[in-house]
Amino acid sequence: MDKELRKEFREWKVEVDDRLDRLEAAQVAKDAASAAQAPQATASKKAAADAATSEKEGN
């Protein structure tokens, strides 16, 4: 019986590890997508700030 329980536990552990790996991969992909979008928003804010500064200097 111990052998059967150990086998079942190993199978369960492999399944849980696989699910965890998939979840981690999905989170990494989600974080990468968020990081890719963030610099674009920052760049546009900086460009807008630079334009406002240029207008003030011109006046």
Side-chain angles (χ1 to χ4, degrees), residues 42-59:
T42 303
S44 64
K45 287 181 184 177
K46 184 177 180 183
D50 289 344
T53 304
S54 297
E55 289 176 11
K56 288 180 183 177
E57 289 174 358
N59 289 337

Side-chain angles (χ1 to χ4, degrees), residues 5-53:
L5 287 174
R6 288 179 182 171
K7 181 182 177 187
E8 287 179 24
F9 178 77
R10 282 191 300 262
E11 290 172 353
W12 174 81
K13 185 178 182 302
V14 166
E15 181 181 339
V16 170
D17 286 342
D18 287 345
R19 287 182 180 180
L20 180 60
D21 289 342
R22 287 193 303 266
L23 285 171
E24 287 174 342
Q27 185 64 42
V28 166
K30 183 178 176 183
D31 290 345
S34 296
Q37 292 175 352
Q40 293 172 353
T42 303
S44 64
K45 287 181 184 177
K46 184 177 180 183
D50 289 344
T53 304

